[in-house]
Amino acid sequence: MPGRNLVNDSLIDTLIVGAGPYGLSIAAHAQAHGLSVRVIGTPMDFWQRHMPAGMLLNSEPFASNLSSPAPGSSFTDRHPGWPMGQPIPLRQFIAYGEWFAEHAVRGIEKVQVQHVQAADPGFTVTLSTGEEVRTLTVVIAIGVRQFAHVPAQLSALPRELVTHSAEHHDLSRFADRDVTIVGAGQSALETAVLLAEAGARPTVLSRKDHLAWNAIPLPDPSWTSKALRGPQSGLGHGWRTWLWSEHPATTRALPDRTRQRIVKNTLGPAGAWWLRERMGHGVTLRLGERIVEAGTNNGRVRFSTVTTHGGIHLSQTDHIIAATGYVPDIEKITILDPDLRRRLRLRHRSPALSRNFESSVPGLYFAGLTAAASFGPVMRFVHGSSYAAQRIADNLVKPRRSAPPKAAVPPVQPDKSVATK
Ligand SMILES: Cc1cc2nc3c(=O)[nH]c(=O)nc-3n(C[C@H](O)[C@H](O)[C@H](O)COP(=O)(O)OP(=O)(O)OC[C@H]3O[C@@H](n4cnc5c(N)ncnc54)[C@H](O)[C@@H]3O)c2cc1C
C-alpha cells in the first residue's frame, strides 16, 4: 500500500472497478439514476492488450451491445445495417467501447484500484494514485484476466516458453517459429489461424478427438428452420440456450448443481463457423492428445503426450500458448482485503450473489465472469451486461430513494481523464 495516501472524506454512492463492457454499462445506468459514481480503469483495456490483433468477435452484433438507458448507444445503433453473420473486427468493437466510454459514461479514471476494505459505512478503496476513496458500495467488474488458467503440467515453465493466450496481442513475434497451442475453443483455433497468417508454424493440440464448430447463423430463417433450431438468442440457437441467454434470473433459481453444469457445458469449446476454412491453411492438428509432462531443452519446450488410445509421444516446440480458458476464483481477486474475502459466501469459488448481484457482504457487488456461478453462462459474455447493469443500478439507487439526500455528494471526477479515442 502506498505510504502517501490522500484521504478523500467525501462519501460517494458507488465505485466501479473496471471499465470493460460490464463496468461501463453499470456506470451508464448508475449515473442515469443520479448516483455519484467513480469508474476506475482504462476503457476496453483487456480487449486492447490481451486479445490477438486481427481477431473477429464470436458474438453477433445484437449480442455485442453495451447497455445504457440513453438511446442510440448500442453497437447496432452505432452500426445500423451491420448484418447478422458478419463478424465484428476486434478493432471496431474496441472503437465502439471507447466511443461508449466517452459519450455514455462520465469521468472515467484511467488508474487502478489497489485495495478494497470494509469501513463504516461502506468501504475504503485505495487507488494507484495513493488516493483513498470513501464509498457506500463497490462493484467488482474486473473481467477475466486474473483468472487465466494454465494447466499444472505447464505452469512451472518459464514465460519465454509458455504463456497464456491472454498474454498476446501482437502475434507477429512468433513468425518462423513452431508454436503449440493447447485447447480447442475459439481462442485456441483463432490464435492458431492468426499465427499461421503471421508466418508462424502453429499446431493445435487438444485432448478432444474432434473439433466442434458453431452453426452458420441464418439472417432470415424459414419457419421450418426456426422450428428445428429453436429461437436465436444472444448465446446461439435453441430453447435452452435462449433460457440461459435471456433469463438469467430463472437460471439463478435453478438448483446449484444444475446451474453449475449449464455454466460448464453451455457454449463449450467450439470454433466460429467463419474460422473453419481459414484453419485449412498452415495449421497442424494434433487431436486426442493430452500433455502429461513438460520441461525445457536448449531453449525449447519438450513435452510428452498421451493419446486417447494410450500411445505416448515425445515432442519439442519453440513455444506453447495455453488457450485453456479462465477459471474464476475469489482468492485471485487480491484487491479485496482478506477479511472481505473471508466474509464472502461462495459458490464454486465465486461469490454467491443475490438477485441484485450483491454478495453476502452488503454493498459489495460482482458482475461479469464472477457472476456466472449465480446467474449462468450469459455472464461470461457481453450480452449479459445489459441485465447485470440494470439490476445493479436499480438496486444501488434504492437507499437513495428511501432516504433523504445526503448532505454532501461530491461531483464525479472532472472530465479531463475521460477516455479518448
Ligand atoms: C479471446 C477472447 C475473445 C472473446 N470474444 C468474445 C465475443 O466475441 N463476444 C463476447 O460477448 N465475449 C467475448 N469474450 C468474453 C469477454 O472477455 C467478456 O464477455 C467481456 O470482456 C466481459 O466484460 P467485463 O467488463 O466483465 O471484462 P473486461 O472486458 O475484461 O473488463 C474488465 C476490466 O477491468 C480492468 N481491471 C481489472 N482489475 C482492475 C483494477 N484493480 N483496477 C482497475 N481496473 C481493473 C481490466 O483491465 C479490464 O479492462 C472473449 C474473451 C476472450 C478471452
Side-chain angles (χ1 to χ4, degrees), residues 131-333:
E131 184 186 359
E132 286 188 355
V133 183
R134 300 288 321 283
T135 177
L136 284 173
T137 60
V138 172
V139 182
I140 304 289
I142 54 172
V144 301
R145 189 172 165 228
Q146 44 275 80
F147 307 122
H149 169 71
V150 176
Q153 297 82 353
L154 301 172
S155 58
L157 296 186
R159 276 195 63 220
E160 306 82 72
L161 297 178
V162 175
T163 45
H164 189 271
S165 51
E167 289 172 59
H168 301 290
H169 176 65
D170 179 5
L171 294 169
S172 63
R173 67 176 255 217
F174 292 110
D176 293 325
R177 302 185 72 202
D178 286 312
V179 185
T180 301
I181 304 101
V182 180
Q186 171 68 5
S187 180
L189 302 180
E190 193 167 19
T191 300
V193 165
L194 291 167
L195 279 165
E197 291 168 358
R201 293 181 298 278
T203 299
V204 170
L205 190 141
S206 168
R207 40 187 187 180
K208 294 194 174 297
D209 47 24
H210 69 279
L211 295 178
W213 298 97
N214 294 330
I216 301 177
L218 300 175
D220 195 11
S222 65
W223 185 90
T224 337
S225 155
K226 265 190 202 157
L228 285 174
R229 286 177 140 196
Q232 165 88 44
S233 62
L235 297 189
H237 284 100
W239 284 104
R240 288 195 322 171
T241 306
W242 169 81
L243 190 62
W244 321 145
S245 171
E246 310 305 316
H247 296 278
T250 310
T251 317
R252 183 178 167 275
L254 293 169
D256 191 39
R257 286 175 105 190
T258 313
R259 189 181 43 257
Q260 218 29 46
R261 204 181 56 238
I262 295 164
V263 171
K264 206 168 158 219
N265 298 336
T266 304
L267 295 188
W273 60 271
W274 42 260
L275 200 55
R276 201 167 186 169
E277 199 197 311
R278 285 164 68 197
M279 278 293 287
H281 308 287
V283 179
T284 305
L285 294 180
R286 284 177 65 174
L287 303 179
E289 281 188 66
R290 141 180 94 80
I291 296 183
V292 286
E293 188 273 330
T296 59
N297 182 26
N298 282 333
R300 303 187 84 208
V301 190
R302 51 142 196 86
F303 60 96
S304 331
T305 56
V306 173
T307 68
T308 37
H309 306 294
I312 295 177
H313 292 297
L314 299 178
S315 312
Q316 293 214 13
T317 185
D318 290 330
H319 193 95
I320 291 185
I321 296 180
T324 36
Y326 300 84
V327 180
D329 179 354
I330 199 72
E331 292 308 320
K332 292 193 175 159
I333 311 184

Side-chain angles (χ1 to χ4, degrees), residues 34-58:
L35 296 171
S36 54
V37 180
R38 288 180 69 170
V39 190
I40 310 298
T42 302
M44 304 302 285
D45 186 44
F46 179 72
W47 296 76
Q48 304 237 28
R49 297 197 300 130
H50 302 284
M51 291 191 188
M55 184 191 111
L56 302 174
L57 264 66
N58 208 358

Side-chain angles (χ1 to χ4, degrees), residues 341-353:
R341 270 183 266 155
R342 258 194 308 275
R343 283 169 54 198
L344 286 170
R345 199 160 63 78
L346 298 182
R347 223 171 226 164
H348 309 279
R349 305 185 77 84
S350 290
L353 301 177

